[in-house]
Amino acid sequence: MKKRYWLIGICIIIILFCLKLNMNKDIVKCPEFNKAYSEWFPYNKGDILNFKNSDSIREYIVSTYNINKTKSYNRNMKCGCCEDGIVIYLTAKRDTIKIDFENFINPNSCMGSRRFISRNGKSINVKATQNQKELDLNQISSDSLIIEKNIGIKQIIWNGKLYEFESIKKSKTDNKIILNSRC
């Protein structure tokens, strides 16, 4: 009688082990986080960006720098994809800029890429040449700011005045990747 219980227990363990192996075959590991984001936005949370025109200096603080990334997903789930993105908030007196880029230069995305910029809660028209591939981009412009690769925000228009990027005071904060599951 004891032999039968041992045999049943061993069979259950073997079945569970086989099921676990089979489930792991359905897990898709996503590639590392796309470093292109940091080429476009070389900031950390807490950095202070200074922009200058002939009359004054505007100071923006990187109050939020969220990095979102899918680590893995189950290929049998309809919502599974390798997605990544950043959300950055720059705050100054009476001005908040939100930058939200998703799946920038991400060939593993099934949602497509999106570049969204808003200022004080209002969407800003992001201009990019339609036939220009994301990999070839060196500059992204909008109605009130210009973003340049390896520099970040190069120019800001505030109250009709053009402010040029002058300097950055780096914080000692490192950006952390928030791993998420799309399902």
Side-chain angles (χ1 to χ4, degrees):
M1 194 63 141
K2 286 184 179 181
K3 207 177 204 182
R4 180 183 288 167
Y5 289 123
W6 275 98
L7 190 58
I8 290 172
I10 290 173
C11 287
I12 290 173
I13 290 172
I14 290 172
I15 289 170
L16 289 174
F17 181 74
C18 290
L19 285 173
K20 175 76 172 149
L21 282 177
N22 191 35
M23 285 177 62
N24 284 343
K25 289 181 184 176
D26 292 332
I27 301 297
V28 175
K29 294 192 186 299
C30 295
E32 292 297 315
F33 183 71
N34 185 349
K35 299 296 183 194
Y37 291 105
S38 58
E39 290 176 353
W40 284 89
F41 303 102
Y43 314 132
N44 290 328
K45 183 178 178 179
D47 286 357
I48 299 171
L49 310 176
N50 291 306
F51 295 87
K52 185 177 181 180
N53 75 2
S54 58
D55 303 354
S56 61
I57 293 176
R58 292 217 29 97
E59 187 176 274
Y60 286 83
I61 297 172
V62 180
S63 57
T64 302
Y65 196 119
N66 290 337
I67 302 170
N68 301 299
K69 174 173 179 2
T70 306
K71 184 177 180 179
S72 62
Y73 67 91
N74 186 321
R75 80 174 77 241
N76 296 322
M77 304 292 278
K78 287 185 178 182
C79 59
C81 285
C82 290
E83 307 296 326
D84 59 27
I86 61 164
V87 176
I88 301 171
Y89 280 90
L90 303 173
T91 55
K93 284 185 181 177
R94 299 176 312 191
D95 196 16
T96 300
I97 299 170
K98 177 185 178 186
I99 300 168
D100 185 351
F101 278 33
E102 292 181 6
N103 299 312
F104 191 62
I105 313 171
N106 182 358
N108 299 303
S109 166
C110 56
M111 306 298 266
S113 71
R114 180 178 84 114
R115 293 185 294 263
F116 176 77
I117 300 173
S118 66
R119 193 157 193 181
N120 300 322
K122 295 178 183 171
S123 179
I124 295 175
N125 181 27
V126 178
K127 302 169 189 168
T129 308
Q130 292 296 325
N131 60 2
Q132 191 175 25
K133 294 180 183 176
E134 284 185 333
L135 285 170
D136 298 332
L137 284 175
N138 287 317
Q139 188 178 80
I140 297 169
S141 61
S142 73
D143 298 334
S144 62
L145 58 98
I146 294 176
I147 304 166
E148 199 165 288
K149 192 174 185 176
N150 297 317
I151 294 174
I153 298 176
K154 184 177 177 181
Q155 296 177 343
I156 290 180
I157 296 175
W158 171 253
N159 285 341
K161 295 181 180 178
L162 177 66
Y163 289 81
E164 299 274 343
F165 175 75
E166 183 179 69
S167 65
I168 184 170
K169 182 180 177 189
K170 297 297 279 178
S171 71
K172 294 181 178 163
T173 307
D174 288 331
N175 296 323
K176 293 179 177 61
I177 297 175
I178 301 166
L179 299 175
N180 57 19
S181 170
R182 291 308 238 189
C183 299

